[in-house]
Amino acid sequence: GPCVKAHLKTIPPLCVHYVTFCLIQVKRFLEPFRLSQKTLQDISSRLTQDMIKGLGRHSHHKAPVKMLPTFVRATPDGTEKGDFLALDLGGTNFRVLHVRVNEDEKSVLKMDSEICAIPQEIMTGTGEQLFDHIAACLGTFLEKQGLKEQVLPLGFTFSFPCEQKEIDKSILIRWTKGFNCSGVEGRDVVQLLKEAVRRQGDYEIGTVAMVNDTVGTMMSCGYRDQSCEIGMIIGTGTNACYMEEMCNVKRVEGEGGRMCINTEWGGFGDDGSLRDIQTQFDLEVDRSSINPGVHIFEKMISGMYLGEIVRLLLVKMTEDKILFSGKVSEKLRTSGAFLTKFISEIEHGSFQRILSDLGLQWSTADLRAVHLICDTVSSRSAQLCAAALAAVANRIRTNRGLDHLDTTVGVDGTVFKKHPTFSAELRSMVHKLAPKCTLKFIVSEDGSGKGAAMVTAVAQRIAAQSHLIDDSDEDELEEN
Ligand code: BGC
């Protein structure tokens, strides 16, 4: 078209009409991605209902939002201390850390850490291979640090949905985020780790505390700000945890105090409850994922999937001749070719290289359109997170019978941290959806590493742990 070589700032008058015309078509296409405040409010209420279902002793089994007890009953009180190891599996990388908690300075120091890549074939290989790889990385790290003779307590940040029986017994419910190792679902991850360490044979580990990354994030912020009662991750995956009243945690013995609940809100919609807002592109992302039908909410929000949603939009609009003169490049057709980080880069204003690397030729109208597509997909993600966070904050507020709640959210994750407008958009929408809650956001500094050490430290401080009530008999009755 006439606009092919035009630059954004010097569009000839004739082209203005053309650009506007294209944008109207693009906007029409993006309509299903725009959610009204009323819809978001409604989604927030649906999540509230699902949270109640997940907490119930009998409704829990069929609940899409699992509301898992974490056996973390207290946030740090500042008296924790000691040296710890931390493992962090489930985000962008696998890491091993040596962490020191200093009581006097109320600080958590990362003494050393190392990143070990997890090759693709291990991510989808056998569980034994995965845990051998982890134990080997840990062994190498201890060797290098001269720690091999010590037996240190270990915090294991394992960022997948686990049914925790105790702080050191944690059954994997299912893999998410591209992991799919055989023979691990339904097994105790602590035991698998310990067996792998035994197979290494040349070092030992002390007590193990299992930690979801959301919990680590809450706890690491909690050391600095004792009103931190929510942990949230918007990275490769998405999830949140918060402090719930024990009397509402029907699946765990005891009525007093509070316990941190790992909501696993990524599973919201797994029973079809979000069908009305899923677009054809969301359905396609789900269908072509390695775990179709599960973690529906996560697939509309997190870094593992956002780029793919944008890619599918670009392909479809190009096929419909709305973009790139109708020419879809080979590269653009390749699944996973449009990385989520491109969305941030494009919204920051850098396009040319990304599009040319994708083998595309663009006009000014295309540039505007691509920007709008990225903006729409990331905004929807921020708004959906806001709806979910509003549900959690309101729950804490009503639990405590408060007219107004002031609390702090510890946050981590690449989408939240790297995207230029994500956090601002999230905050402003939470404010609208939960006007009776004032939330302060703290970006966690390495919650998965330091937070895991913190959980281990707090767990050691609070020796008495309660146990999960075994409700299997009653369930059989219920089902008959
Ligand atoms: C997992 C959660 C985790 C979240 C963020 C999800 O896929 O199910 O356990 O907290 O990702 O890493």
Side-chain angles (χ1 to χ4, degrees):
C3 300
V4 171
K5 293 222 168 69
H7 291 286
L8 273 175
K9 283 182 193 130
T10 55
I11 308 171
L14 243 181
C15 288
V16 173
H17 297 294
Y18 177 69
V19 170
T20 315
F21 172 68
C22 292
L23 277 184
I24 290 172
Q25 284 186 296
V26 172
K27 279 189 184 147
R28 202 172 296 145
F29 223 102
L30 293 171
E31 212 45 57
F33 284 86
R34 293 189 197 287
L35 305 172
S36 67
Q37 192 174 321
K38 188 164 159 287
T39 304
L40 291 167
Q41 196 83 58
D42 185 49
I43 289 168
S44 194
S45 318
R46 288 183 219 173
L47 180 59
T48 302
Q49 289 313 309
D50 278 357
M51 287 168 68
I52 294 169
K53 204 167 163 188
L55 285 172
R57 204 161 146 192
H58 303 299
S59 50
H60 167 78
H61 281 86
K62 293 178 194 104
V65 179
K66 295 253 167 290
M67 304 297 281
L68 303 165
T70 64
F71 293 85
V72 170
R73 295 163 148 280
T75 45
D77 72 355
T79 65
E80 294 77 11
K81 58 170 184 271
D83 269 31
F84 301 89
L85 296 173
L87 300 181
D88 175 17
L89 181 75
T92 326
N93 286 304
F94 169 65
R95 294 182 314 149
V96 187
L97 305 95
H98 174 208
V99 177
R100 181 164 296 161
V101 180
N102 285 318
E103 184 184 358
D104 310 331
E105 298 146 42
K106 304 267 170 295
S107 65
V108 188
L109 282 182
K110 183 165 82 187
M111 308 298 286
D112 264 296
S113 71
E114 200 163 290
I115 293 179
C116 286
I118 305 261
Q120 185 63 37
E121 62 271 21
I122 290 193
M123 278 174 78
T124 52
T126 70
E128 198 168 288
Q129 282 168 333
L130 174 71
F131 283 93
D132 279 341
H133 183 69
I134 291 174
C137 292
L138 176 56
T140 313
F141 177 77
L142 294 176
E143 179 84 60
K144 276 194 203 155
Q145 301 299 321
L147 293 170
K148 234 175 181 167
E149 303 312 316
Q150 291 190 41
V151 180
L152 294 174
L154 182 146
F156 189 3
T157 303
F158 186 74
S159 308
F160 302 95
C162 287
E163 177 75 89
Q164 215 150 323
K165 302 284 182 190
E166 289 163 51
I167 195 83
D168 66 345
K169 188 159 188 226
S170 196
I171 315 288
L172 176 65
I173 298 175
R174 70 160 76 110
W175 288 112
T176 59
K177 297 177 288 195
F179 276 81
N180 199 5
C181 304
S182 59
V184 187
E185 288 177 349
R187 302 274 314 271
D188 176 12
V189 179
V190 176
Q191 201 191 333
L192 294 176
L193 174 70
K194 284 185 174 162
E195 283 167 7
V197 168
R198 215 168 295 139
R199 282 195 294 275
Q200 293 293 312
D202 57 348
Y203 68 91
E204 278 176 55
I205 52 175
T207 54
V208 175
M210 288 298 291
V211 190
N212 186 265
D213 51 355
T214 54
V215 183
T217 298
M218 181 187 81
M219 294 293 263
S220 68
C221 290
Y223 206 59
R224 281 186 282 160
D225 177 338
Q226 291 189 5
S227 68
C228 185
E229 300 173 292
I230 302 177
M232 178 171 75
I233 305 282
I234 312 166
T236 311
T238 184
N239 190 12
C241 69
Y242 71 102
M243 296 305 288
E244 176 61 88
E245 309 304 311
M246 267 306 280
C247 59
N248 293 330
V249 187
K250 301 280 194 271
R251 302 174 57 234
V252 178
E253 269 172 19
E255 288 284 306
R258 294 182 180 142
M259 181 178 278
C260 178
I261 295 293
N262 167 13
T263 65
E264 288 293 338
W265 74 22
F268 183 28
D270 288 6
D271 59 353
S273 70
L274 295 176
R275 190 57 199 86
D276 59 328
I277 61 160
Q278 282 181 285
T279 66
Q280 67 179 102
F281 306 96
D282 298 305
L283 295 174
E284 176 58 31
V285 163
D286 178 42
R287 221 174 354 216
S288 56
S289 66
I290 61 171
N291 53 353
V294 298
H295 270 219
I296 295 300
F297 193 56
E298 174 160 285
K299 287 172 182 166
M300 303 173 86
I301 289 175
S302 74
M304 178 100 195
Y305 309 99
L306 287 186
E308 188 65 2
I309 298 176
V310 169
R311 188 187 70 84
L312 293 173
L313 272 162
L314 292 176
V315 170
K316 183 74 174 81
M317 284 195 216
T318 310
E319 282 173 345
D320 287 8
K321 311 242 176 341
I322 300 173
L323 288 180
F324 305 122
S325 320
K327 281 184 229 132
V328 188
S329 66
E330 190 72 29
K331 188 82 191 279
L332 191 64
R333 283 209 194 279
T334 317
S335 86
F338 194 98
L339 307 180
T340 295
K341 70 171 186 196
F342 294 169
I343 297 179
S344 297
E345 290 170 18
I346 285 172
E347 291 190 54
H348 263 304
S350 62
F351 282 82
Q352 279 40 15
R353 190 191 44 76
I354 294 171
L355 296 185
S356 59
D357 286 355
L358 286 169
L360 297 166
Q361 290 192 331
W362 61 89
S363 67
T364 307
D366 291 332
L367 293 186
R368 295 258 177 106
V370 170
H371 191 282
L372 186 64
I373 294 166
C374 290
D375 183 51
T376 306
V377 171
S378 61
S379 290
R380 184 186 66 156
S381 164
Q383 291 174 354
L384 288 173
C385 282
L389 184 58
V392 172
N394 267 324
R395 166 132 194 119
I396 300 180
R397 183 179 65 77
T398 45
N399 270 346
R400 299 185 192 164
L402 297 172
D403 289 331
H404 195 93
L405 174 77
D406 272 293
T407 195
T408 302
V409 188
V411 200
D412 206 346
T414 43
V415 174
F416 185 88
K417 291 205 292 203
K418 298 268 163 69
H419 187 278
T421 54
F422 193 96
S423 89
E425 196 152 353
L426 173 94
R427 281 166 208 238
S428 91
M429 190 48 82
V430 180
H431 185 69
K432 288 182 194 151
L433 298 174
K436 294 180 179 169
C437 303
T438 305
L439 301 182
K440 182 170 138 200
F441 291 79
I442 298 188
V443 172
S444 131
E445 266 177 63
D446 196 4
S448 302
K450 294 178 184 173
M454 214 53 244
V455 175
T456 320
V458 173
Q460 290 202 327
R461 175 165 63 77
I462 304 167
Q465 300 286 350
S466 47
H467 296 259
L468 204 63
I469 300 169
D470 185 358
D471 57 355
S472 49
D473 300 344
E474 280 165 90
D475 275 334
E476 272 163 34
L477 284 178
E478 207 176 41
E479 255 143 48
N480 286 336

